[in-house]
Amino acid sequence: KGIHCELSNLYFPDDFLFGTATSSYQIEGAWNEDGKGENIWDHLTHNHTHLIRDRSNGDIACDSYHKYKEDIALLKDLGVSVYRFSFSWSRIFPHGHPYKPNPAGIAHYVAFLDELAANNITAMATLFHWDLPQPLQELGGWTNPRIVPCFAEYAKVAFENFGSKVKYWITVNEPHQVCQEGYGSDNLAPVLNMSGIADYQCGHNLIKAHAIAYHIYNDTYRHLYNGKIGITIHGIWYEPQTPKDEETADRMMQFNFGWWAHPIFTSQGDYPAVMKEYIAKRSTLQGYKRSRLPEFTQEEIDSIKGTSDFLGLNHYTSYFVTDAKINNLDTHFSSDHQVQANAKISWGSAAAPWIKVVPWGFRKILNWLQNTYNPSEIHVTENGFSDHGGLNDTTRVSYFGQYLQNLNAAIVLDKVRVKSYAAWSLLDNFEWLDGYVNRFGMYDVDFSDPNRPRTPKASALFYKDVIRNRRVGEFVKVN
Ligand code: PNW
């Protein structure tokens, strides 16, 4: 289709922002310093060590809590104009519950934000990137509606103290992973594994918490600081296996992306109709008196609609889908959606087996998002590839080269309104249950050295060139 010639000579628009992304628990370390409280990842790694592949934890991680000036020097060297990071809730409210905010935790982030500003790097801050305070988890975490006012108070304290220094706010990173992987399976803390029930309860409270945080910013802080606030959703592109799988692929997009985006980004609001219908139907078959998917009141629907100034997308991969026709009566998210996803044998794979290299899927999902939700801005808040480490990371260069070409085409040729891109990740870091086995960094971190030295990989040099030239240069395609 000549797609490669077409993609090879494009420039990114002048106002397009290049960045990198990290998250607090994955890089900061200093897990119990300066008054920080315990969060669910401290709790999981310390008490259920066997669940982590290399039995490691984030106690020290990249030690970015102490080495943040070094990290910012790396960002400067790369030439990025935006840095996406997250605040650790337990540093600000050590007890989780919203009383006695911790001055040392706040002071740390003020110093960090000042250093970013001194280097002319725009701050894109996530309020919640999975490290929930443990005391809130003990009350049920996101399944307990009481979490909504706790999150609202945390957001308010963050806006109050950091609002003048943060241009982009992201309330929650990947609600689907929080609820589906954390409550509906055992892939992330709190490893609850109650699919079809706890995941939907989690989602219901999480969406309300997001909306309330948005309204607090909108009503009280926007006129002071003029920033933007939104949510980041993980988007896999689901491609119909054959033309007759189109309805199935759309259903899969609705269950995975629409679950979160439909209530916030459409004019009708509420969960996607197909999700309500499928879950209600199966709930009845299973003998439930009402659907396992909770219902929003009309008032809630109205207050959730429109609560995002931009659409944040984390995108890594794509799959083909077909109908699954699951006839058993198990209570499970995947039996609710009745879709089966599969990858092509020929696709390259990251060290994380779920990441298949399907660069054209990136262009497709960006077009789908703009056509489906028509957001005024899209920000790609994560995109990346894992290997087992090493400085000559040719497979990562190949992944970024192809994905950036497709992003470039979506922006320039298809006119999708993507305003920024953050590569996951700046540094090798604690990759959740994979510990330090799988590496995502553009900079290597030596975790056996107490100084945690950082060294640029080939991908850092490649990305630096992309940023400087504002176009994707030559690279060797290996996957
Ligand atoms: C994202 N999946 O997680 C997170 O936002 C990061 O913290 C993480 O390090 C990064 O991607 C790489 O894994 C995901 O299985 C983890 O679909 C798993 C999935 C999606 C996102």
Side-chain angles (χ1 to χ4, degrees):
K1 258 197 83 204
I3 202 159
H4 279 287
C5 339
E6 197 188 353
L7 298 187
S8 61
N9 221 359
L10 304 174
Y11 286 84
F12 285 92
D14 290 338
D15 59 353
F16 187 76
L17 306 173
F18 288 100
T20 65
T22 60
S23 87
S24 46
Y25 186 77
Q26 295 179 275
I27 68 162
E28 283 183 352
W31 82 275
N32 60 357
E33 279 182 52
D34 290 348
K36 177 180 162 295
E38 187 190 38
N39 66 44
I40 59 173
W41 281 93
D42 296 317
H43 189 84
L44 179 93
T45 57
H46 295 161
N47 300 287
H48 306 278
T49 311
H50 64 283
L51 295 179
I52 313 296
R53 253 169 97 182
D54 54 1
R55 299 180 166 248
S56 65
N57 56 54
D59 288 3
I60 303 175
C62 309
D63 201 22
S64 290
Y65 187 75
H66 299 112
K67 296 171 87 71
Y68 68 89
K69 288 191 178 165
E70 215 176 291
D71 291 350
I72 294 172
L74 301 180
L75 295 168
K76 191 80 195 163
D77 184 53
L78 270 179
V80 300
S81 41
V82 59
Y83 181 45
R84 174 172 180 244
F85 62 94
S86 75
F87 294 118
S88 160
W89 190 337
S90 309
R91 285 194 198 285
I92 295 175
F93 283 117
H95 312 276
H97 298 281
Y99 68 103
K100 290 198 201 155
N102 171 25
I106 293 172
H108 166 76
Y109 288 121
V110 168
F112 162 78
L113 289 165
D114 285 344
E115 181 75 10
L116 269 186
N119 284 279
N120 251 317
I121 297 166
T122 299
M124 182 181 271
T126 305
L127 284 168
F128 179 64
H129 197 125
W130 306 359
D131 42 0
L132 190 75
Q134 179 63 20
L136 298 180
Q137 193 61 56
E138 278 157 25
L139 292 178
W142 289 103
T143 62
N144 184 341
R146 283 289 307 153
I147 199 169
V148 177
C150 296
F151 182 75
E153 191 57 29
Y154 163 51
K156 195 173 150 208
V157 167
F159 299 150
E160 189 74 46
N161 287 280
F162 314 131
S164 65
K165 303 170 199 288
V166 173
K167 171 81 190 283
Y168 297 100
W169 288 95
I170 293 164
T171 54
V172 177
N173 177 65
E174 299 185 347
H176 193 84
Q177 277 54 40
V178 173
C179 296
Q180 185 56 59
E181 306 291 339
Y183 291 74
S185 89
D186 51 7
N187 293 329
L188 289 175
V191 296
L192 204 62
N193 211 1
M194 276 195 210
S195 191
I197 297 184
D199 37 12
Y200 298 141
Q201 306 270 342
C202 167
H204 209 62
N205 294 317
L206 189 151
I207 291 170
K208 290 188 206 177
H210 153 82
I212 290 180
Y214 175 92
H215 286 298
I216 293 172
Y217 189 84
N218 197 44
D219 298 348
T220 311
Y221 298 95
R222 186 190 294 283
H223 71 279
L224 297 173
Y225 304 132
N226 207 24
K228 296 190 178 196
I229 176 164
I231 189 165
T232 278
I233 304 174
H234 183 83
I236 290 174
W237 174 248
Y238 294 105
E239 176 79 8
Q241 181 111 31
T242 69
K244 69 174 181 8
D245 296 311
E246 258 165 49
E247 183 277 328
T248 307
D250 186 65
R251 187 183 340 125
M252 192 63 159
M253 289 305 294
Q254 294 304 333
F255 265 81
N256 285 276
F257 204 95
W259 180 1
W260 315 102
H262 203 276
I264 299 173
F265 293 96
T266 67
S267 52
Q268 315 92 290
D270 201 356
Y271 295 121
V274 69
M275 210 178 155
K276 292 199 287 184
E277 179 199 325
Y278 270 63
I279 300 169
K281 201 169 65 192
R282 274 187 67 86
S283 300
T284 305
L285 280 175
Q286 291 161 333
Y288 286 88
K289 292 257 166 6
R290 35 167 54 209
S291 177
R292 285 177 280 100
L293 182 68
E295 277 177 32
F296 289 122
T297 64
Q298 189 57 46
E299 202 186 332
E300 286 168 344
I301 290 172
D302 293 336
S303 74
I304 292 165
K305 272 194 306 203
T307 55
S308 204
D309 301 328
F310 58 85
L311 196 160
L313 170 71
N314 287 356
H315 177 77
Y316 290 83
T317 198
S318 300
Y319 301 109
F320 281 113
V321 292
T322 53
D323 242 336
K325 301 243 188 327
I326 296 161
N327 294 317
N328 67 52
L329 286 181
D330 293 354
T331 297
H332 200 278
F333 176 70
S334 60
S335 5
D336 283 337
H337 63 56
Q338 304 264 317
V339 180
Q340 189 183 311
N342 51 278
K344 260 200 177 168
I345 289 288
S346 61
W347 289 343
S349 185
W354 63 272
I355 303 181
K356 301 300 176 199
V357 183
V358 196
W360 52 263
F362 193 14
R363 186 174 176 181
K364 284 214 173 182
I365 194 170
L366 288 169
N367 276 278
W368 183 84
L369 291 174
Q370 180 147 307
N371 296 334
T372 307
Y373 303 110
N374 197 25
S376 52
E377 296 183 4
I378 296 174
H379 291 265
V380 176
T381 46
E382 280 179 33
N383 169 244
F385 180 88
S386 59
D387 60 15
H388 292 299
L391 300 181
N392 189 20
D393 56 342
T394 48
T395 51
R396 180 171 293 102
V397 170
S398 172
Y399 177 96
F400 278 129
Q402 296 172 81
Y403 273 70
L404 283 164
Q405 284 182 332
N406 278 276
L407 170 66
N408 205 345
I411 297 170
V412 178
L413 304 177
D414 311 335
K415 312 283 180 233
V416 181
R417 293 180 294 274
V418 187
K419 300 300 175 189
S420 78
Y421 171 87
W424 184 272
S425 177
L426 175 65
L427 303 169
D428 283 344
N429 59 47
F430 180 78
E431 177 54 18
W432 311 114
L433 297 191
D434 285 333
Y436 300 100
V437 178
N438 290 352
R439 306 294 183 93
F440 278 90
M442 288 186 166
Y443 287 82
D444 171 86
V445 177
D446 182 353
F447 295 100
S448 66
D449 185 326
N451 290 321
R452 299 295 193 270
R454 284 95 158 111
T455 312
K457 304 182 189 179
S459 56
L461 306 178
F462 174 75
Y463 193 40
K464 198 171 165 171
D465 270 352
V466 172
I467 297 171
R468 186 175 343 115
N469 303 325
R470 305 197 70 76
R471 54 172 295 208
V472 182
E474 297 278 306
F475 63 92
V476 179
K477 185 173 167 297
V478 296
N479 54 12

